[in-house]
């Protein structure tokens, strides 16, 4: 009696083969992707990036990540309100205050420099304390 | 004859050119100077400054001296005169003209004219002369309300011309 491959088992076997083939292809692709990812990672932190889970590439800044993570939005692509907000934030970061306060600080520091220069000049010339001499009324 | 005439002219010219003061003098040992004693002016000393006031006049003549030594660099005309200009420009709402050379003094000297306005005190004028003697910086200045400087200007010039280092 000749052994025959049961048709029911045969179809299962072929399904298993196809699944294994697909799994092999999938493994091959993912390992290639990981290899590519590690080759473009920053060299300063190789240990962290090698085992890190790849973050989804969503536009904009991702919460709880540094600003260089993520794709970012080009300034030109922002709305007018967003552009205004970014510029305001940049100005605040630059001066630690708004334009008005920066102007006042500039004037104040200029006056302080003038006062210091005048005091040095008075000491050099020996005129300290003579400003109000003769001012009687 | 011609030689004697020339010598006579030279003596006469030198006598005319002599800017010295030969009248009575006031000496301040503390400040190391002497200067013409002007009739009608009373001399006092406040805040290391000699003050001359004359009853009936709103003007004050002040004399302040300071040693040329004791600074990080030598005090000379190159840094003292610009420093005086800076100090005068720092007076409230000051307008400064000068420096102009003062030829009548015994030492190298420059003068500044200042208009200034202390807050709530009206306008004032100040004629400020700075002399550089051998060892001292000598400031002589006349301060008066605007328009009242002129009557005392001649007395200021007499003091500037007569001031001399002592000791």
């Amino acid at each position: 009696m000749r052994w025959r491959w049961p048709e029911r088992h045969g179809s299962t076997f072929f399904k298993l083969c196809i699944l294994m083939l697909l799994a092999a292809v999938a493994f091959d692709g993912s390992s290639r992707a990981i290899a590519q990812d590690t080759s473009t990672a920053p060299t300063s932190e190789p240990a962290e990036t090698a085992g890190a889970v790849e973050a989804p590439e969503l536009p904009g800044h991702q919460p709880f990540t540094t600003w260089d993570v993520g794709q970012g939005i080009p300034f030109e692509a922002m709305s007018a309100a967003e552009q205004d907000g970014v510029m305001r934030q940049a100005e605040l970061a630059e001066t630690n205050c708004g334009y008005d306060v920066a102007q006042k600080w500039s004037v104040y520091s200029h006056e302080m420099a003038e006062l210091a220069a005048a005091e040095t000049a008075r000491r050099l010339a020996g005129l300290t304390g003579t400003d109000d001499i003769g001012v009687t009324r | 004859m011609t030689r004697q005439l020339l010598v006579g002219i030279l003596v006469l010219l030198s006598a005319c050119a002599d800017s010295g003061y030969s009248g009575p003098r006031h000496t301040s040992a503390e400040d190391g100077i002497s200067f013409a004693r002007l009739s009608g002016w009373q001399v006092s000393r406040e805040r290391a400054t000699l003050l001359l006031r004359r009853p009936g006049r709103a003007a004050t003549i002040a004399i302040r001296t300071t040693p040329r030594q004791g600074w990080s660099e030598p005090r000379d005309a190159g840094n003292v005169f610009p420093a005086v200009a800076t100090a005068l420009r720092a007076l409230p709402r000051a307008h400064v003209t000068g420096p102009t050379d003062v030829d009548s003094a015994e030492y190298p000297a420059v003068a500044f004219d200042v208009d200034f306005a202390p807050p709530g005190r009206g306008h004032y004028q100040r004629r400020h002369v700075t002399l550089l003697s051998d060892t001292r910086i000598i400031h002589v200045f006349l301060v008066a309300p605007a328009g009242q400087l002129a009557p005392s200007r001649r007395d200021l010039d007499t003091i500037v011309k007569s001031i001399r280092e002592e000791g």
Side-chain angles (χ1 to χ4, degrees), chain A residues 16-32:
Chain A
L16 279 172
C17 286
I18 289 167
L19 278 174
M20 288 175 66
L21 187 65
L22 285 172
V25 169
F27 263 106
D28 185 46
S30 66
S31 63
R32 219 176 280 167

Side-chain angles (χ1 to χ4, degrees), chain B residues 3-162:
Chain B
R3 176 177 281 183
Q4 287 174 343
L5 189 61
L6 277 171
V7 169
I9 290 171
L10 281 173
V11 168
L12 193 62
L13 283 173
S14 64
C16 290
D18 182 19
S19 60
Y21 170 83
S22 58
R25 303 185 73 85
H26 179 94
T27 301
S28 170
E30 278 181 297
D31 298 288
I33 54 167
S34 69
F35 52 90
R37 183 185 296 277
L38 302 175
S39 63
W41 290 83
Q42 298 168 350
V43 182
S44 61
R45 194 170 193 277
E46 298 171 23
R47 290 187 288 172
T49 307
L50 290 165
L51 299 178
L52 287 75
R53 296 193 181 97
R54 183 172 181 166
R57 284 194 192 172
T60 302
I61 295 175
I63 303 173
R64 163 72 70 90
T65 69
T66 193
R68 289 178 65 172
Q69 289 186 339
W71 193 250
S72 55
E73 54 185 318
R75 285 172 162 134
D76 54 27
N79 56 13
V80 170
F81 294 155
V84 173
T86 302
L88 293 176
R89 277 196 293 270
L91 288 170
R93 295 167 59 193
H95 176 73
V96 180
T97 53
T100 53
D101 290 334
V102 178
D103 297 327
S104 59
E106 195 168 328
Y107 306 107
V110 293
F112 298 88
D113 290 294
V114 188
D115 292 310
F116 65 107
R121 302 289 185 87
H123 282 78
Y124 276 79
Q125 290 176 304
R126 177 163 166 169
R127 169 81 174 172
H128 190 114
V129 180
T130 301
L131 305 93
L132 279 180
S133 69
D134 295 339
T135 63
R136 287 181 174 81
I137 303 167
I138 305 170
H139 300 281
V140 186
F141 54 97
L142 170 65
V143 185
Q148 298 184 47
L149 202 71
S152 304
R153 175 70 187 268
R154 195 172 170 181
D155 293 329
L156 174 77
D157 292 340
T158 301
I159 288 181
V160 169
K161 189 168 65 176
S162 66

Side-chain angles (χ1 to χ4, degrees), chain A residues 3 18 30 32 84 89 109 114 133:
Chain A
W3 180 82
I18 289 167
S30 66
R32 219 176 280 167
D84 186 51
Q89 190 65 35
S109 55
E114 280 189 344
I133 287 178

